Amino acid sequence: ARLSMKFGKVGKAAAHAAYIAREAPYAGRLNKGERLEAKAVGNFPTWAEDQPNRFWQAADAYERANGTTYREMEIALPRELPPVQRLALVRGFVAQELGSRHAYQWAIHNPQAADGHEQPHVHLMFSERRVDGIDRDPGQYFRRHNAKAPEKGGARKGYGPYSGGYLSKAERVAHLKGLRQRWEIACNTALAQAGHTERIDLRSHAERGLTLPPERKQLPSEWRRPETRVAVLAFRQARAEHAKAQAEMAETLP
């Protein structure tokens, strides 16, 4: 199970939107065994409804230099569900978390995992700017918000409990944990409704009372090395065999 939240800086939004939609220079990835299961956009202003990339180009051009142009959730999807059920799960979660409040774009990628099976996941990219029904052109949309006269300023920034104010580190952690818990509930509900016994658990090993050391995070550049993948997969196999042996011993010995 995995749900991570990322932020995009000015100048990165349009390129990243093309990346998740597998457009322009990234279309070639679909010729290497990866599948683009589904993609969708929503809540864009009228000037970007038919050209979503125009929205992200405007964000790159008009957001303040040290601001963020987008947030992105990257979420692992269960292999046990077929594509149509994964699609329903994603659509339901997007409606729950973003609704009609933020412009968004998402895509479900399904490359081959290290074990040779599917690795479905969704990239959910969205703007922190809130949809308020005011008609603004691209230059005004990303301008600083005017609380006294909203029609004269840009769309207000604010996602979740963040409404333009400062959040402490503890508040940010609590918000991310709450988001991960809501995804855990949505995913496990979908698995149960489909008749599967598998469940995800987004708690850490320590939170679950396990003594297993966390696996070291691999950078993409490291994971692309064949020797790194072989070593990590061998480690995972050995750990699984050790856990199985311990369970069998516990059943045999009083």
Side-chain angles (χ1 to χ4, degrees), residues 22-42:
R22 293 300 190 250
E23 296 173 348
Y26 305 103
R29 290 175 178 254
L30 299 178
N31 299 324
K32 299 178 181 179
E34 180 184 280
R35 296 199 307 276
L36 179 62
E37 285 191 356
K39 61 180 181 179
V41 299

Side-chain angles (χ1 to χ4, degrees), residues 4 10 20-21 52 58 60 67 74-75 84 87 91 96 117 120 133 141-142 151 159 176 180 194 200 214 232 238 253:
S4 63
V10 169
I20 69 170
D60 285 334
E74 189 173 318
I75 311 173
V84 66
L87 175 59
R91 282 178 170 165
Q96 172 185 295
H117 297 290
Y141 193 94
F142 297 99
E151 70 283 356
Y159 161 68
L176 182 57
R180 289 163 64 89
I200 66 169
V232 171
L253 299 177

Side-chain angles (χ1 to χ4, degrees), residues 121-225:
H121 59 278
V122 61
H123 294 266
L124 171 55
M125 179 181 181
F126 62 98
S127 172
E128 290 180 298
R129 299 281 179 173
R130 293 186 177 185
V131 177
D132 58 9
I134 297 175
D135 188 20
R136 300 178 176 88
D137 62 29
Q140 183 186 358
Y141 193 94
F142 297 99
R143 199 180 300 163
R144 184 182 294 275
H145 179 67
N146 187 329
K148 294 182 178 179
E151 70 283 356
K152 295 181 180 180
R156 185 176 185 176
K157 266 194 169 184
Y159 161 68
Y162 174 73
S163 57
Y166 173 78
L167 283 183
S168 67
K169 181 179 179 180
E171 289 171 329
R172 291 197 301 271
V173 169
H175 172 55
L176 182 57
K177 280 191 173 184
L179 176 65
R180 289 163 64 89
Q181 287 169 356
R182 292 193 297 276
W183 168 252
E184 182 179 305
I185 292 169
C187 187
N188 287 337
T189 298
L191 286 167
Q193 290 175 343
H196 295 286
T197 58
E198 292 85 353
R199 298 292 182 268
I200 66 169
D201 191 335
L202 281 161
R203 293 175 299 168
S204 67
H205 290 336
E207 289 171 332
R208 295 165 64 187
L210 303 177
T211 57
L212 287 173
E215 189 175 297
R216 188 177 74 83
K217 182 176 176 62
Q218 302 287 334
L219 296 173
S221 57
E222 294 177 303
W223 190 246
R224 282 193 288 268
R225 299 177 197 151

Side-chain angles (χ1 to χ4, degrees), residues 4-157:
S4 63
M5 180 75 82
K6 301 177 181 179
F7 301 84
K9 296 181 180 180
V10 169
K12 305 291 186 180
H16 192 69
Y19 167 79
I20 69 170
R22 293 300 190 250
E23 296 173 348
Y26 305 103
R29 290 175 178 254
L30 299 178
N31 299 324
K32 299 178 181 179
E34 180 184 280
R35 296 199 307 276
L36 179 62
E37 285 191 356
K39 61 180 181 179
V41 299
N43 302 332
F44 282 101
T46 54
W47 46 266
E49 284 180 345
D50 298 328
Q51 296 177 290
N53 203 258
R54 189 182 176 202
F55 179 88
W56 304 116
Q57 290 170 349
D60 285 334
Y62 298 113
E63 278 286 5
R64 68 180 188 274
N66 62 342
T68 57
T69 50
Y70 68 89
R71 287 197 186 203
E72 180 194 14
M73 298 181 204
E74 189 173 318
I75 311 173
L77 301 175
R79 292 172 171 173
E80 291 78 9
L81 299 179
V84 66
Q85 291 177 346
R86 288 198 287 257
L87 175 59
L89 172 59
V90 169
R91 282 178 170 165
F93 191 68
V94 172
Q96 172 185 295
E97 295 299 320
L98 300 181
S100 59
R101 299 181 295 277
H102 300 273
Y104 65 80
Q105 179 172 351
W106 58 259
I108 299 176
H109 298 170
N110 194 351
Q112 187 181 70
D115 61 3
H117 297 290
E118 292 185 319
Q119 192 183 44
H121 59 278
V122 61
H123 294 266
L124 171 55
M125 179 181 181
F126 62 98
S127 172
E128 290 180 298
R129 299 281 179 173
R130 293 186 177 185
V131 177
D132 58 9
I134 297 175
D135 188 20
R136 300 178 176 88
D137 62 29
Q140 183 186 358
Y141 193 94
F142 297 99
R143 199 180 300 163
R144 184 182 294 275
H145 179 67
N146 187 329
K148 294 182 178 179
E151 70 283 356
K152 295 181 180 180
R156 185 176 185 176
K157 266 194 169 184

